[in-house]
Amino acid sequence: MPPVFHNGIFFAAVLWCLASCLPLALPARALLRRQRLREKKWKRKQANGPQFAEGGNVLTEADFSGNDLRKERLRGGICLAIGVLVLFFLQPDAGFMAFEVADSPQHSELRSLVIREAGSFMEREPILGMVVAVVHGDESLVLGFGRRDLSTKQPPDGDTVYEIASLSKLFTGLLLAHEIEEGNVALADPVNRHLPSGVSLPASAEGALIRHLATHTSGFPKVAGNLKDMTGLVGYATGRDPYKGYTEEHFWEAVKTVQLRSQPGENVHYSNFGASLLGSLLAAKRSATYESRVKEVICRPLGMKDTCVVPTEEQETRRARGYRSIMKLGGFRVTLAADAWEAPDVMAGEGGLLSTGNDMLKFLQASVGQTRSPLTAASTSAQKELQPWTDHTAVGTLWFRTKWNDHVLLQHEGRSTGQRSFIGGIEGQPTGIVLLSNGQVEVDNLGKSLLRQILRLKSKDAPVPPASGIN
C-alpha cells in the first residue's frame, strides 16, 4: 500500500482521538452539539414543514442530567480507547532528525557525486535512511545517509542490515544458472521433475518449465493464494509481516492447488510465487534449505558474511527498522513503523533475504564484472536475455533488461513492507549501483539518475555513453 493510505488512516485515528476528548472534558457541550446536529438533520428532512424541531433552540447545557453527563463521558472514554488502540497498532514514532552521512576515507569525484545527489534526495523526499553502494571502473564505495532508525542518531553504514526484498530473486536466478552450469538442471526441464516427493502441480500447470519460472512466464499468480488470504486490509494498515504464520505446509499446498493466470509461456506475469517455487525446488534437489544454498554457492565464494534469511542476534542489533510512512514537518519526522519480515525458507527465494551495503557491493562487483570469481560464468549467463517483454525490455534469469540506446541496463527493484531497494548495472561495463533504504519512497529513479551521471565521469575502464542513453 502507498504511504498516502497509511497517512490517511493515521490522521483519521488522530482526529478520532481529538474528537473523543470533547465528551470527556465537556460532556454537556458535546451533548448539546449532538442535539443541534440532530435538529439540523430533522429540518432538512422537514423543509416544507415546521420551522423548528420540537424542543429545538431551547436546550442549554444546564438541561442535561448528571446521568446524561456520565453516559457521555463513558462514550467519550470508549471512543478514545478505540482511537488509542488503533494508533498503537499503527506503530507511530516521532522525533527530530538532522541529516547525517556515514563518512568513508575515500575522496574522489565519484564520492562527491554520490554525496551530492543522495543528500539532495534525502532532503527532498520523506525518507529516513539509505545506503548507497557504487562501482565504476576500478573504484568502489559504500556510503550511508540519514538514520538507521528514528531512535538513534547513528547513520546507517556498510554493515547495516536491510531487507533486500525482491533483490533476493537475483540470488535465486544465480543459483539456477550455477545448477545449469553444473549440469543438474536445464531450462527446458518440467517443473514437476524437480519437485519434492509427494508434491506435483495440478493438471492445468503440468506444462510449466523451469524456464517459465525463471522468466515470469509460468502463469503463476503474483502471490500464493493462501498467502493472500492471510494478508488482509488490517495487515496492510498495521504494517504486519505478510509472512507471519505462513508455513512450509501452506506453501506446498499452494503449489499443489495453484490456479494459473495464463498458460505457461503465453505471457509475462511478474510472480513472487513462481520465484519462491524456483528457489525451493533448487534447494530441495540438494536436500538443503534455500538459505544454506545461497550461503554455500554465492556468499562464501564472494566473501559475503551478512547475507541470510534468519539473522543472528548480533545481526539483529545492526538491522535497520522499516517505515511504511514518513511524514516530514521541517526537521521533525512522524513515522509509522513496519514489522520486520520473517519469511519462511521456502518463500525466501522471492524476497526473504537480508543483506548489507558491504555484501551487496561484492554481489554488484561480481555482477558487473569488476571482480572475477567462480561465479563469473554463471552470473553472465543469468543476465542474458531469455524472454522479450516489450520493445525496450526483456527478462533474463530473473534479471530485467532495459535498452538505453546502445546500452542495456540490468536492473531489479525490491520492496518490503517498510523498506525499498534497487540494483542497476550497465551490461558489458564495470559500472553499477545498489540502493538500500528504510522507507517506502521509490529509489529506482535516484539509482538511474546516479548511473547516468556516473557514466559521464572519466574512467579508463568505463567508456562514456551518450548522455541521452539513459531515461
Side-chain angles (χ1 to χ4, degrees):
M1 287 287 182
V4 66
F5 169 81
H6 301 288
N7 295 351
I9 294 179
F10 174 73
F11 285 119
V14 170
L15 291 174
W16 176 281
C17 290
L18 292 175
S20 302
C21 292
L22 180 62
L24 275 172
L26 301 167
R29 183 167 296 180
L31 281 167
L32 187 60
R33 182 174 178 274
R34 193 156 67 252
Q35 176 68 20
R36 287 172 177 168
L37 288 173
R38 288 197 190 105
E39 288 178 358
K40 288 181 180 179
K41 184 178 180 180
W42 186 85
K43 288 177 188 178
R44 285 195 296 270
K45 290 182 178 180
Q46 303 294 328
N48 298 322
Q51 293 300 308
F52 299 100
E54 184 180 351
N57 288 347
V58 296
L59 286 177
T60 67
E61 293 183 18
D63 292 315
F64 300 108
S65 68
N67 192 45
D68 291 333
L69 300 180
R70 283 192 293 273
K71 287 182 178 179
E72 188 64 12
R73 287 194 182 97
L74 178 61
R75 175 181 169 278
I78 292 173
C79 289
L80 181 60
I82 292 172
V84 169
L85 190 62
V86 170
L87 285 174
F88 173 78
F89 283 114
L90 289 177
Q91 305 184 71
D93 199 1
F96 286 94
M97 194 186 90
F99 180 70
E100 304 283 349
V101 179
D103 206 357
S104 79
Q106 298 160 296
H107 295 280
S108 66
E109 191 177 0
L110 178 62
R111 178 181 178 276
S112 298
L113 169 63
V114 172
I115 289 178
R116 183 181 70 248
E117 294 301 312
S120 174
F121 181 82
M122 290 285 299
E123 293 289 343
R124 187 173 65 252
E125 300 288 347
I127 186 169
L128 198 71
M130 179 171 62
V131 168
V132 182
V134 180
V135 299
H136 183 53
D138 56 1
E139 185 178 357
S140 61
L141 58 85
V142 177
L143 289 170
F145 302 87
R147 297 275 187 85
R148 194 172 67 187
D149 63 67
L150 198 56
S151 65
T152 176
K153 291 184 178 181
Q154 180 180 353
D157 57 24
D159 291 324
T160 302
V161 178
Y162 284 89
E163 296 162 2
I164 66 171
S166 284
L167 300 197
S168 305
K169 293 180 176 68
L170 303 183
F171 289 77
T172 303
L174 187 52
L175 276 182
L176 173 60
H178 170 77
E179 291 296 326
I180 292 173
E181 192 178 56
E182 294 287 309
N184 299 318
V185 180
L187 287 172
D189 287 351
V191 171
N192 269 335
R193 181 183 301 176
H194 299 286
L195 289 174
S197 176
V199 179
S200 62
L201 295 173
S204 60
E206 285 181 348
L209 308 178
I210 295 297
R211 179 191 185 91
H212 298 145
L213 294 180
T215 56
H216 295 292
T217 55
S218 64
F220 274 54
K222 185 173 183 180
V223 298
N226 52 10
L227 176 65
K228 188 175 182 179
D229 293 340
M230 298 174 69
T231 56
L233 188 61
V234 173
Y236 284 122
T238 57
R240 193 186 72 177
D241 173 14
Y243 298 104
K244 190 175 181 64
Y246 198 80
T247 64
E248 183 175 350
E249 289 72 24
H250 286 128
F251 176 77
W252 292 118
E253 181 61 30
V255 171
K256 290 187 284 187
T257 59
V258 64
Q259 296 182 3
L260 300 186
R261 298 174 62 184
S262 60
Q263 286 302 303
E266 254 183 27
N267 297 301
V268 176
H269 292 302
Y270 186 83
S271 176
N272 290 322
F273 188 18
S276 283
L277 178 57
L278 179 58
S280 295
L281 63 83
L282 290 175
K285 188 173 180 63
R286 295 281 189 162
S287 300
T289 64
Y290 177 82
E291 180 181 42
S292 66
R293 290 300 292 159
V294 166
K295 287 184 174 181
E296 179 183 350
V297 175
I298 302 173
C299 297
R300 195 171 299 159
L302 298 184
M304 301 168 66
K305 60 184 180 64
D306 281 320
T307 300
C308 60
V309 175
V310 181
T312 64
E313 289 186 9
E314 190 277 330
Q315 287 169 332
E316 278 287 357
T317 65
R318 295 186 274 119
R319 191 166 180 174
R321 188 172 191 186
Y323 296 94
R324 65 193 189 282
S325 178
I326 301 170
M327 293 157 273
K328 293 176 64 175
L329 302 169
F332 194 69
R333 301 288 188 276
V334 179
T335 67
L336 299 179
D339 288 348
W341 272 17
E342 296 179 2
D345 191 82
V346 287
M347 302 290 283
E350 72 177 47
L353 285 176
L354 306 175
S355 194
T356 64
N358 286 335
D359 269 15
M360 289 306 295
L361 175 67
K362 294 172 183 176
F363 184 82
L364 179 64
Q365 288 172 321
S367 298
V368 300
Q370 191 194 51
T371 60
R372 296 192 63 81
S373 73
L375 292 169
T376 296
S379 183
T380 301
S381 175
Q383 295 167 8
K384 290 180 179 178
E385 179 177 333
L386 290 179
Q387 176 70 39
W389 191 357
T390 69
D391 290 342
H392 299 285
T393 60
V395 186
T397 307
L398 295 175
W399 277 93
F400 288 101
R401 299 167 53 88
T402 304
K403 292 180 182 178
W404 283 4
N405 288 352
D406 296 330
H407 305 276
V408 173
L409 171 67
L410 303 163
Q411 63 176 321
H412 212 293
E413 302 171 42
R415 177 179 181 177
S416 70
T417 309
Q419 303 189 16
R420 289 266 194 156
S421 54
F422 173 78
I423 186 171
I426 306 301
E427 186 176 48
Q429 295 191 29
T431 300
I433 189 168
V434 171
L435 302 174
L436 307 174
S437 74
N438 54 342
Q440 279 301 297
V441 175
E442 293 183 0
V443 295
D444 55 313
N445 286 335
L446 171 64
K448 294 171 187 177
S449 174
L450 272 169
L451 275 177
R452 178 173 61 248
Q453 296 180 68
I454 289 169
L455 285 167
R456 293 173 182 165
L457 299 178
K458 293 181 180 179
S459 170
K460 62 183 179 181
D461 299 315
V464 181
S468 60
I470 301 177
N471 298 315

mmCIF file of all heavy atoms in Angstrom, residues 165-170 216 270 272 350 398-400 409-414 421-425 444:
data_model
loop_
_atom_site.group_PDB
_atom_site.id
_atom_site.type_symbol
_atom_site.label_atom_id
_atom_site.label_comp_id
_atom_site.label_asym_id
_atom_site.label_seq_id
_atom_site.Cartn_x
_atom_site.Cartn_y
_atom_site.Cartn_z
ATOM 1 N N ALA A 165 14.358 -7.637 -0.038
ATOM 2 C CA ALA A 165 13.095 -7.959 -0.700
ATOM 3 C C ALA A 165 13.350 -8.654 -2.041
ATOM 4 O O ALA A 165 14.072 -9.642 -2.097
ATOM 5 C CB ALA A 165 12.253 -6.692 -0.847
ATOM 6 N N SER A 166 12.811 -8.103 -3.130
ATOM 7 C CA SER A 166 12.859 -8.817 -4.414
ATOM 8 C C SER A 166 14.240 -8.884 -5.058
ATOM 9 O O SER A 166 14.414 -9.583 -6.059
ATOM 10 C CB SER A 166 11.867 -8.193 -5.405
ATOM 11 O OG SER A 166 10.547 -8.570 -5.085
ATOM 12 N N LEU A 167 15.222 -8.179 -4.501
ATOM 13 C CA LEU A 167 16.593 -8.402 -4.986
ATOM 14 C C LEU A 167 17.020 -9.839 -4.679
ATOM 15 O O LEU A 167 17.972 -10.348 -5.278
ATOM 16 C CB LEU A 167 17.570 -7.415 -4.342
ATOM 17 C CG LEU A 167 17.337 -5.921 -4.569
ATOM 18 C CD1 LEU A 167 18.593 -5.130 -4.219
ATOM 19 C CD2 LEU A 167 16.910 -5.614 -5.994
ATOM 20 N N SER A 168 16.300 -10.491 -3.752
ATOM 21 C CA SER A 168 16.555 -11.909 -3.470
ATOM 22 C C SER A 168 16.393 -12.761 -4.723
ATOM 23 O O SER A 168 17.043 -13.803 -4.865
ATOM 24 C CB SER A 168 15.591 -12.419 -2.386
ATOM 25 O OG SER A 168 15.641 -11.636 -1.216
ATOM 26 N N LYS A 169 15.511 -12.327 -5.637
ATOM 27 C CA LYS A 169 15.277 -13.109 -6.856
ATOM 28 C C LYS A 169 16.555 -13.248 -7.690
ATOM 29 O O LYS A 169 16.732 -14.247 -8.399
ATOM 30 C CB LYS A 169 14.180 -12.457 -7.697
ATOM 31 C CG LYS A 169 12.791 -12.491 -7.061
ATOM 32 C CD LYS A 169 11.768 -11.839 -7.949
ATOM 33 C CE LYS A 169 10.361 -11.939 -7.375
ATOM 34 N NZ LYS A 169 10.185 -11.130 -6.147
ATOM 35 N N LEU A 170 17.442 -12.253 -7.615
ATOM 36 C CA LEU A 170 18.684 -12.333 -8.381
ATOM 37 C C LEU A 170 19.599 -13.415 -7.824
ATOM 38 O O LEU A 170 20.370 -14.033 -8.577
ATOM 39 C CB LEU A 170 19.386 -10.978 -8.382
ATOM 40 C CG LEU A 170 18.552 -9.811 -8.921
ATOM 41 C CD1 LEU A 170 19.373 -8.536 -8.947
ATOM 42 C CD2 LEU A 170 18.000 -10.134 -10.304
ATOM 43 N N HIS A 216 9.265 -15.332 -15.432
ATOM 44 C CA HIS A 216 7.924 -14.817 -15.081
ATOM 45 C C HIS A 216 6.901 -15.113 -16.170
ATOM 46 O O HIS A 216 5.981 -14.325 -16.406
ATOM 47 C CB HIS A 216 7.975 -13.305 -14.822
ATOM 48 C CG HIS A 216 8.791 -12.920 -13.624
ATOM 49 N ND1 HIS A 216 8.421 -13.224 -12.333
ATOM 50 C CD2 HIS A 216 9.972 -12.253 -13.539
ATOM 51 C CE1 HIS A 216 9.332 -12.755 -11.487
ATOM 52 N NE2 HIS A 216 10.285 -12.181 -12.198
ATOM 53 N N TYR A 270 4.584 -10.977 -13.672
ATOM 54 C CA TYR A 270 5.540 -10.967 -12.563
ATOM 55 C C TYR A 270 4.980 -11.796 -11.411
ATOM 56 O O TYR A 270 3.866 -11.556 -10.943
ATOM 57 C CB TYR A 270 5.789 -9.531 -12.112
ATOM 58 C CG TYR A 270 6.869 -9.384 -11.065
ATOM 59 C CD1 TYR A 270 8.209 -9.332 -11.428
ATOM 60 C CD2 TYR A 270 6.546 -9.300 -9.715
ATOM 61 C CE1 TYR A 270 9.199 -9.192 -10.470
ATOM 62 C CE2 TYR A 270 7.533 -9.164 -8.751
ATOM 63 C CZ TYR A 270 8.854 -9.109 -9.134
ATOM 64 O OH TYR A 270 9.829 -8.978 -8.174
ATOM 65 N N ASN A 272 5.959 -13.433 -7.645
ATOM 66 C CA ASN A 272 6.748 -13.785 -6.463
ATOM 67 C C ASN A 272 6.634 -15.276 -6.185
ATOM 68 O O ASN A 272 7.618 -15.934 -5.820
ATOM 69 C CB ASN A 272 6.242 -12.995 -5.249
ATOM 70 C CG ASN A 272 6.561 -11.525 -5.313
ATOM 71 O OD1 ASN A 272 7.615 -11.124 -5.768
ATOM 72 N ND2 ASN A 272 5.628 -10.696 -4.877
ATOM 73 N N GLU A 350 11.814 -15.474 -3.190
ATOM 74 C CA GLU A 350 11.109 -14.345 -3.806
ATOM 75 C C GLU A 350 11.457 -13.023 -3.157
ATOM 76 O O GLU A 350 11.377 -11.980 -3.793
ATOM 77 C CB GLU A 350 9.593 -14.545 -3.713
ATOM 78 C CG GLU A 350 9.019 -14.375 -2.316
ATOM 79 C CD GLU A 350 7.508 -14.506 -2.282
ATOM 80 O OE1 GLU A 350 6.972 -15.465 -2.878
ATOM 81 O OE2 GLU A 350 6.860 -13.663 -1.639
ATOM 82 N N LEU A 398 15.586 -13.992 -14.147
ATOM 83 C CA LEU A 398 15.040 -13.129 -13.092
ATOM 84 C C LEU A 398 15.664 -11.737 -13.056
ATOM 85 O O LEU A 398 15.316 -10.925 -12.196
ATOM 86 C CB LEU A 398 15.132 -13.802 -11.711
ATOM 87 C CG LEU A 398 14.265 -15.057 -11.565
ATOM 88 C CD1 LEU A 398 14.524 -15.732 -10.209
ATOM 89 C CD2 LEU A 398 12.783 -14.738 -11.702
ATOM 90 N N TRP A 399 16.578 -11.417 -13.955
ATOM 91 C CA TRP A 399 17.050 -10.047 -14.158
ATOM 92 C C TRP A 399 16.126 -9.371 -15.172
ATOM 93 O O TRP A 399 15.662 -10.012 -16.125
ATOM 94 C CB TRP A 399 18.469 -10.018 -14.728
ATOM 95 C CG TRP A 399 19.591 -10.150 -13.752
ATOM 96 C CD1 TRP A 399 20.218 -11.302 -13.387
ATOM 97 C CD2 TRP A 399 20.248 -9.093 -13.038
ATOM 98 N NE1 TRP A 399 21.224 -11.030 -12.490
ATOM 99 C CE2 TRP A 399 21.267 -9.684 -12.251
ATOM 100 C CE3 TRP A 399 20.066 -7.709 -12.978
ATOM 101 C CZ2 TRP A 399 22.095 -8.940 -11.424
ATOM 102 C CZ3 TRP A 399 20.891 -6.966 -12.151
ATOM 103 C CH2 TRP A 399 21.898 -7.574 -11.384
ATOM 104 N N PHE A 400 15.910 -8.070 -15.018
ATOM 105 C CA PHE A 400 15.216 -7.292 -16.036
ATOM 106 C C PHE A 400 16.238 -6.506 -16.845
ATOM 107 O O PHE A 400 17.190 -5.946 -16.293
ATOM 108 C CB PHE A 400 14.185 -6.354 -15.412
ATOM 109 C CG PHE A 400 12.988 -7.079 -14.870
ATOM 110 C CD1 PHE A 400 12.859 -7.327 -13.516
ATOM 111 C CD2 PHE A 400 12.001 -7.541 -15.732
ATOM 112 C CE1 PHE A 400 11.768 -8.015 -13.020
ATOM 113 C CE2 PHE A 400 10.901 -8.232 -15.245
ATOM 114 C CZ PHE A 400 10.785 -8.474 -13.881
ATOM 115 N N LEU A 409 20.566 -1.692 -19.563
ATOM 116 C CA LEU A 409 20.541 -1.577 -18.109
ATOM 117 C C LEU A 409 20.017 -2.879 -17.533
ATOM 118 O O LEU A 409 18.921 -3.333 -17.854
ATOM 119 C CB LEU A 409 19.637 -0.426 -17.677
ATOM 120 C CG LEU A 409 19.347 -0.327 -16.169
ATOM 121 C CD1 LEU A 409 20.627 0.024 -15.410
ATOM 122 C CD2 LEU A 409 18.254 0.688 -15.887
ATOM 123 N N LEU A 410 20.816 -3.518 -16.697
ATOM 124 C CA LEU A 410 20.401 -4.703 -15.953
ATOM 125 C C LEU A 410 19.896 -4.215 -14.601
ATOM 126 O O LEU A 410 20.618 -3.516 -13.890
ATOM 127 C CB LEU A 410 21.575 -5.655 -15.770
ATOM 128 C CG LEU A 410 22.262 -6.119 -17.055
ATOM 129 C CD1 LEU A 410 23.630 -6.707 -16.742
ATOM 130 C CD2 LEU A 410 21.384 -7.138 -17.769
ATOM 131 N N GLN A 411 18.675 -4.588 -14.215
ATOM 132 C CA GLN A 411 18.122 -3.970 -13.020
ATOM 133 C C GLN A 411 17.111 -4.860 -12.317
ATOM 134 O O GLN A 411 16.585 -5.818 -12.884
ATOM 135 C CB GLN A 411 17.441 -2.654 -13.377
ATOM 136 C CG GLN A 411 16.243 -2.824 -14.311
ATOM 137 C CD GLN A 411 15.519 -1.527 -14.570
ATOM 138 O OE1 GLN A 411 15.350 -0.703 -13.689
ATOM 139 N NE2 GLN A 411 15.098 -1.326 -15.819
ATOM 140 N N HIS A 412 16.848 -4.484 -11.076
ATOM 141 C CA HIS A 412 15.743 -5.069 -10.312
ATOM 142 C C HIS A 412 15.450 -4.152 -9.135
ATOM 143 O O HIS A 412 16.348 -3.481 -8.620
ATOM 144 C CB HIS A 412 16.073 -6.474 -9.807
ATOM 145 C CG HIS A 412 14.865 -7.359 -9.724
ATOM 146 N ND1 HIS A 412 13.839 -7.140 -8.826
ATOM 147 C CD2 HIS A 412 14.502 -8.449 -10.445
ATOM 148 C CE1 HIS A 412 12.905 -8.060 -8.989
ATOM 149 N NE2 HIS A 412 13.284 -8.868 -9.978
ATOM 150 N N GLU A 413 14.193 -4.119 -8.746
ATOM 151 C CA GLU A 413 13.763 -3.348 -7.581
ATOM 152 C C GLU A 413 13.315 -4.299 -6.480
ATOM 153 O O GLU A 413 12.942 -5.437 -6.759
ATOM 154 C CB GLU A 413 12.595 -2.415 -7.946
ATOM 155 C CG GLU A 413 12.893 -1.424 -9.054
ATOM 156 C CD GLU A 413 11.647 -0.700 -9.504
ATOM 157 O OE1 GLU A 413 10.845 -0.306 -8.637
ATOM 158 O OE2 GLU A 413 11.471 -0.551 -10.723
ATOM 159 N N GLY A 414 13.332 -3.797 -5.262
ATOM 160 C CA GLY A 414 12.847 -4.575 -4.132
ATOM 161 C C GLY A 414 11.988 -3.715 -3.232
ATOM 162 O O GLY A 414 12.262 -2.532 -3.048
ATOM 163 N N SER A 421 14.605 -1.115 -2.195
ATOM 164 C CA SER A 421 15.963 -1.362 -2.681
ATOM 165 C C SER A 421 15.976 -1.322 -4.201
ATOM 166 O O SER A 421 14.944 -1.442 -4.860
ATOM 167 C CB SER A 421 16.477 -2.720 -2.175
ATOM 168 O OG SER A 421 15.574 -3.759 -2.515
ATOM 169 N N PHE A 422 17.188 -1.167 -4.742
ATOM 170 C CA PHE A 422 17.363 -1.124 -6.198
ATOM 171 C C PHE A 422 18.780 -1.558 -6.538
ATOM 172 O O PHE A 422 19.735 -1.232 -5.817
ATOM 173 C CB PHE A 422 17.125 0.294 -6.732
ATOM 174 C CG PHE A 422 17.457 0.464 -8.191
ATOM 175 C CD1 PHE A 422 16.587 0.018 -9.176
ATOM 176 C CD2 PHE A 422 18.660 1.053 -8.581
ATOM 177 C CE1 PHE A 422 16.898 0.166 -10.524
ATOM 178 C CE2 PHE A 422 18.974 1.213 -9.930
ATOM 179 C CZ PHE A 422 18.086 0.761 -10.899
ATOM 180 N N ILE A 423 18.905 -2.299 -7.623
ATOM 181 C CA ILE A 423 20.214 -2.630 -8.174
ATOM 182 C C ILE A 423 20.173 -2.365 -9.671
ATOM 183 O O ILE A 423 19.180 -2.655 -10.332
ATOM 184 C CB ILE A 423 20.608 -4.099 -7.884
ATOM 185 C CG1 ILE A 423 22.051 -4.371 -8.343
ATOM 186 C CG2 ILE A 423 19.636 -5.068 -8.523
ATOM 187 C CD1 ILE A 423 22.591 -5.727 -7.900
ATOM 188 N N GLY A 424 21.230 -1.762 -10.177
ATOM 189 C CA GLY A 424 21.305 -1.493 -11.604
ATOM 190 C C GLY A 424 22.757 -1.547 -12.068
ATOM 191 O O GLY A 424 23.659 -1.110 -11.353
ATOM 192 N N GLY A 425 22.961 -2.080 -13.244
ATOM 193 C CA GLY A 425 24.304 -2.146 -13.815
ATOM 194 C C GLY A 425 24.243 -2.036 -15.326
ATOM 195 O O GLY A 425 23.215 -2.335 -15.938
ATOM 196 N N ASP A 444 14.416 3.807 -7.273
ATOM 197 C CA ASP A 444 14.960 3.394 -8.572
ATOM 198 C C ASP A 444 15.303 4.582 -9.458
ATOM 199 O O ASP A 444 16.305 4.560 -10.182
ATOM 200 C CB ASP A 444 14.002 2.445 -9.286
ATOM 201 C CG ASP A 444 12.615 3.031 -9.449
ATOM 202 O OD1 ASP A 444 12.087 3.561 -8.472
ATOM 203 O OD2 ASP A 444 12.061 2.946 -10.560
#
